[in-house]
């Protein structure tokens, strides 16, 4: 091999080695880049924390495979309750983080997600990605025949059976912006549809995470997070924080729940 051939051979080997190095670096960079689902799961778990995320759903609790499916849990009587996610697109869920199933872009400028919780409940989440996202999320709730939703004065929503039994419900709503700052939010009830409104402003930092969480009466969090100050008035024979029209029918249910938890 003459001098000119040796130079050409060395140059070719150098180029080949550089290409291999660049290719390996590109592959490593690609594998280190979080997927959209992983990014959303990290954002959500920053807002919710991870201590109460269950490694697997409780018996009777189900995480839907697609955003058009229903999340399912159980009531205090062992009956099923379903939560239809407010998605408009049929998106396959991807599980990431500690155990958050994310449905990217399931609605306009909105990711949806579901988490099983260690208290046997289930948490549905909406992530408003920017200012074009809808400010209301509608969750159709499937309850036992004759059961209905009742909004409490502390913002939570209780599910009441036809006979007045307290079945469980959704804890007081919350929402947080990208900096962890609380964003005003509230529920309203339209039949058996739970509607969460999030009140963003020009100063809100997106994305915003909002959380309806279902618990049945077997979870102690219901009493502290949902009934709270309502219980004393109801047990005393008053309406507590329940609307007067339904107070008499649920006093026994609330009393039974508290007795079962603390008796």
């Amino acid at each position: 091999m003459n001098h000119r051939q040796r130079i050409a051979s060395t140059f070719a080997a150098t180029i080949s080695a550089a290409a291999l190095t660049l290719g390996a670096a590109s592959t490593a960079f690609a594998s280190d880049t979080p997927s959209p689902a992983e990014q959303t799961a990290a954002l959500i778990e920053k807002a919710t924390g991870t201590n109460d995320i269950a490694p697997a759903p409780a018996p009777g609790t189900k995480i839907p495979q697609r955003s058009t499916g229903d999340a399912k849990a159980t009531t205090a009587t062992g009956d099923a309750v379903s939560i239809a996610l407010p998605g408009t697109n049929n998106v396959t869920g991807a599980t990431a983080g500690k155990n958050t199933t994310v449905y990217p872009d399931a609605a306009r400028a909105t990711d949806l997600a579901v988490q099983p919780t260690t208290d046997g409940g289930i948490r549905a989440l909406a992530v408003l990605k920017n200012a074009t996202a809808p400010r209301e999320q509608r969750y159709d709730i499937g309850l036992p025949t004759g059961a209905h939703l009742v909004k409490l004065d502390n913002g939570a929503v209780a599910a009441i059976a036809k006979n007045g039994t307290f079945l469980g419900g959704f804890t007081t709503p919350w929402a947080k912006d990208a900096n962890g700052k609380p964003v005003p939010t509230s529920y309203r009830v339209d039949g058996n549809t739970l509607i969460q409104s999030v009140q963003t402003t020009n100063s809100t930092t997106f994305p915003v995470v909002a959380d309806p969480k279902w618990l049945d009466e077997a979870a102690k969090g219901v009493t502290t997070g949902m009934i709270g100050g309502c219980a004393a008035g109801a047990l005393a024979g008053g309406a507590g924080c329940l609307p007067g029209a339904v107070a008499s029918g649920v006093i026994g249910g609330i009393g039974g729940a508290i007795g079962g938890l603390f008796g």
Side-chain angles (χ1 to χ4, degrees), residues 132-228:
T132 68
R135 298 302 190 272
E136 286 192 348
Q137 306 293 332
R138 299 176 66 93
Y139 298 85
D140 292 329
I141 310 303
L143 294 171
T145 302
H148 60 286
L149 300 175
V150 177
K151 185 177 177 180
L152 309 181
D153 282 353
N154 65 351
V157 170
I160 308 299
K162 185 177 181 179
N163 65 359
T165 301
F166 178 61
L167 299 175
F170 296 91
T171 57
T172 303
W174 61 261
K176 296 178 182 178
D177 72 5
N179 296 324
K181 181 180 178 181
V183 178
T185 184
S186 62
Y187 290 144
R188 74 176 191 275
V189 172
D190 180 8
N192 277 357
T193 298
L194 179 75
I195 304 168
Q196 183 171 14
S197 298
V198 179
Q199 301 168 25
T200 61
T201 66
N202 290 336
S203 63
T204 301
T205 304
F206 288 90
V208 171
V209 179
D211 160 347
K213 181 181 179 182
W214 169 268
L215 288 172
D216 66 30
E217 73 153 353
K220 182 172 286 190
V222 170
T223 300
T224 57
M226 179 180 297
I227 299 174

Side-chain angles (χ1 to χ4, degrees), residues 48-59 61 98-99 115-123 213-216 218-221:
T48 63
T50 59
N51 290 339
D52 71 339
I53 300 176
T61 301
K98 292 296 184 180
N99 196 12
Q115 293 174 340
T117 54
T118 54
D119 49 27
I122 196 167
R123 179 185 284 129
K213 181 181 179 182
W214 169 268
L215 288 172
D216 66 30
K220 182 172 286 190

Side-chain angles (χ1 to χ4, degrees), residues 69-160:
D70 293 347
K72 295 185 178 180
T74 57
T75 68
T77 56
D79 295 303
V81 58
S82 63
I83 305 169
L85 303 179
T88 56
N89 302 320
N90 189 7
V91 178
T92 300
T95 302
K98 292 296 184 180
N99 196 12
T100 299
T101 299
V102 179
Y103 311 90
D105 295 313
R108 177 167 54 88
T110 304
D111 292 344
L112 301 177
V114 178
Q115 293 174 340
T117 54
T118 54
D119 49 27
I122 196 167
R123 179 185 284 129
L125 300 120
V127 179
L128 284 57
K129 298 165 75 171
N130 56 52
T132 68
R135 298 302 190 272
E136 286 192 348
Q137 306 293 332
R138 299 176 66 93
Y139 298 85
D140 292 329
I141 310 303
L143 294 171
T145 302
H148 60 286
L149 300 175
V150 177
K151 185 177 177 180
L152 309 181
D153 282 353
N154 65 351
V157 170
I160 308 299

